[in-house]
Amino acid sequence: LAWALLFGSPEGLPLFSLELLVLFHFFLASFGMFLLLRRLGLRTIASATGGCVFAYTGFVASRAAVHLTIFFGFVYLPLIILCFLRAVEGHRVGPALLGGGLLAVQGVVGHIQPAYHTTVALAVLAIYLAITRRTLVPLGTFGIVVGLALMLSAVQSTPFLEHFSHAYRWVGPAAPLDPWQSIPWETYGYHELLKPQQLLTLVVPDA
């Protein structure tokens, strides 16, 4: 919305402004991962390298070319984890609220997949920290982050649930599925297989 206010017109957004938006998110992805790795104790050079690898190679970079809504969402992953860790380690509510706000933004940028994956990653991290540190603080922080994200994103997620009940899915060669049907095993067991040579796309997206 802010980008539309800055660059928009009744005719729409110019292509150059959209390219600037993509570049901004590339920077946000690399800088966010840099901050996270610094928080985890890595040195500056190692953190900068990790930020570049996260943002400019593999899955994240490939989404920028074919699926911008997923790309825009995954950009926030390092920052959300960083906020979660700061909240847990500092026993502070502020970073948890910021993390919840970022998770809400991640959930409304256009695709649910990044927010879902981030929530799963936070849950695993919260359980690990709760067990290893023998404290419920990580679980409480997880509840704050996810709870706030659900409340803030409800303005979009509520009508989405109504739309979902009428949405059909095409998942390969089979006939389209209604929203409540499970994807048949044959779809991924026989038709959507990852070939060994495709593992190269982990480091070279267009290979």
Side-chain angles (χ1 to χ4, degrees), residues 37-63:
L37 295 177
R38 286 291 291 161
R39 181 73 182 185
L40 294 175
L42 273 68
R43 295 184 177 181
T44 302
I45 296 299
S47 299
T49 302
C52 290
V53 170
F54 173 75
Y56 307 122
T57 67
F59 176 81
V60 175
S62 68
R63 293 304 91 190

Side-chain angles (χ1 to χ4, degrees), residues 83-92 129 133 137-138 141-142:
C83 290
F84 175 79
L85 290 175
R86 289 177 63 91
V88 171
E89 294 170 357
H91 293 79
R92 297 162 57 193
L129 293 177
R133 300 184 181 184
V137 171
T141 303
F142 173 79

Side-chain angles (χ1 to χ4, degrees), residues 9-196:
S9 67
E11 289 74 30
L13 284 169
L15 179 60
F16 178 70
S17 69
L18 295 176
E19 292 174 340
L20 285 179
L21 184 61
V22 173
L23 290 176
F24 170 74
H25 279 81
F26 267 118
F27 166 77
L28 194 62
S30 56
F31 187 62
M33 182 58 75
F34 169 80
L35 293 177
L36 175 59
L37 295 177
R38 286 291 291 161
R39 181 73 182 185
L40 294 175
L42 273 68
R43 295 184 177 181
T44 302
I45 296 299
S47 299
T49 302
C52 290
V53 170
F54 173 75
Y56 307 122
T57 67
F59 176 81
V60 175
S62 68
R63 293 304 91 190
V66 297
H67 209 151
L68 277 178
T69 53
I70 294 181
F71 168 71
F72 287 157
F74 270 110
V75 160
Y76 295 95
L77 173 63
L79 291 173
I80 294 170
I81 295 178
L82 174 63
C83 290
F84 175 79
L85 290 175
R86 289 177 63 91
V88 171
E89 294 170 357
H91 293 79
R92 297 162 57 193
V93 177
L97 297 179
L98 178 58
L102 291 174
L103 184 59
V105 170
Q106 191 184 48
V108 300
V109 293
H111 204 292
I112 194 61
Q113 179 180 331
Y116 174 77
H117 288 174
T118 300
T119 302
V120 172
L122 285 178
V124 172
L125 180 58
I127 294 172
Y128 169 78
L129 293 177
I131 293 174
T132 57
R133 300 184 181 184
R134 299 183 180 180
T135 174
L136 295 179
V137 171
L139 299 179
T141 303
F142 173 79
I144 293 174
V145 171
V146 175
L148 179 62
L150 289 174
M151 287 189 290
L152 293 177
S153 62
V155 65
Q156 181 168 303
S157 60
T158 302
F160 161 76
L161 292 175
E162 181 180 356
H163 163 75
F164 179 75
S165 63
H166 302 284
Y168 284 81
R169 296 171 294 163
W170 276 259
V171 287
L177 306 177
D178 68 44
W180 312 113
Q181 280 183 291
S182 298
I183 298 176
W185 161 250
E186 290 78 8
T187 298
Y188 294 115
Y190 298 100
H191 301 292
E192 302 293 336
L193 296 178
L194 181 66
K195 299 177 182 178

